[in-house]
Amino acid sequence: MIIDEMAALGVPASKIRLLFNQVVFDDELPKAFSCLYSYHRRDKRLTLNPAAVMHENELYSRLKASGADIAQLLADDTDYKAAIRAMDDPQEKQRLAYRLATRRLELGIVGELDATFTALLQ
């Protein structure tokens, strides 16, 4: 396991931090990651912080499909509601509505990214 190799190289447990990724919102970390929690209790070679968690989010698959990234979404200041109202083409309205929904997902994920980053540094 990479954690064992890092510990063997002298990396202290305080510097080996785990990020729980793609976690389902209802999952309890000790149950969903029972092997890691058992390993941590047994060997203490890493730091576990349950606040260092990224949940599953549809935004990630949308970003992958579009080729965009979160920074690009943050920089987009388009008023999609106004654009939808002004559009006559139903297909274009649907595309704009999809972009609006993606923007809303993105706004929700930024706080989690910030909190996770902070938790990893603690």
Side-chain angles (χ1 to χ4, degrees):
M1 180 183 279
I2 291 175
I3 295 168
D4 292 328
E5 292 173 19
M6 292 174 72
L9 291 171
V11 179
S14 63
K15 298 288 184 182
I16 303 174
R17 300 170 187 183
L18 186 78
L19 169 68
F20 298 100
N21 195 22
Q22 296 294 319
V23 176
V24 176
F25 270 99
D26 294 337
D27 278 354
E28 296 177 26
L29 292 178
K31 283 185 180 180
F33 296 92
S34 60
C35 290
L36 285 169
Y37 272 81
S38 293
Y39 175 82
H40 178 256
R41 279 191 302 273
R42 185 181 65 244
D43 292 334
K44 303 283 191 233
R45 292 185 171 183
L46 71 149
T47 300
L48 290 183
N49 181 348
V53 60
M54 292 298 304
H55 292 95
E56 286 184 332
N57 192 304
E58 183 183 345
L59 176 67
Y60 300 117
S61 59
R62 288 182 181 217
L63 287 172
K64 185 176 181 181
S66 73
D69 61 34
I70 291 176
Q72 290 170 317
L73 288 179
L74 284 170
D76 180 3
D77 61 357
T78 303
D79 183 347
Y80 287 106
K81 286 183 179 182
I84 291 167
R85 283 192 300 272
M87 184 56 58
D88 291 330
D89 179 5
Q91 287 182 327
E92 185 62 15
K93 277 189 174 204
Q94 187 175 15
R95 186 187 74 76
L96 292 169
Y98 183 84
R99 298 282 306 264
L100 176 61
T102 302
R103 164 64 88 41
R104 288 178 176 159
L105 287 170
E106 176 262 332
L107 292 173
I109 202 73
V110 170
E112 184 175 55
L113 287 168
D114 290 342
T116 300
F117 182 76
T118 300
L120 283 173
L121 295 180
Q122 293 177 343

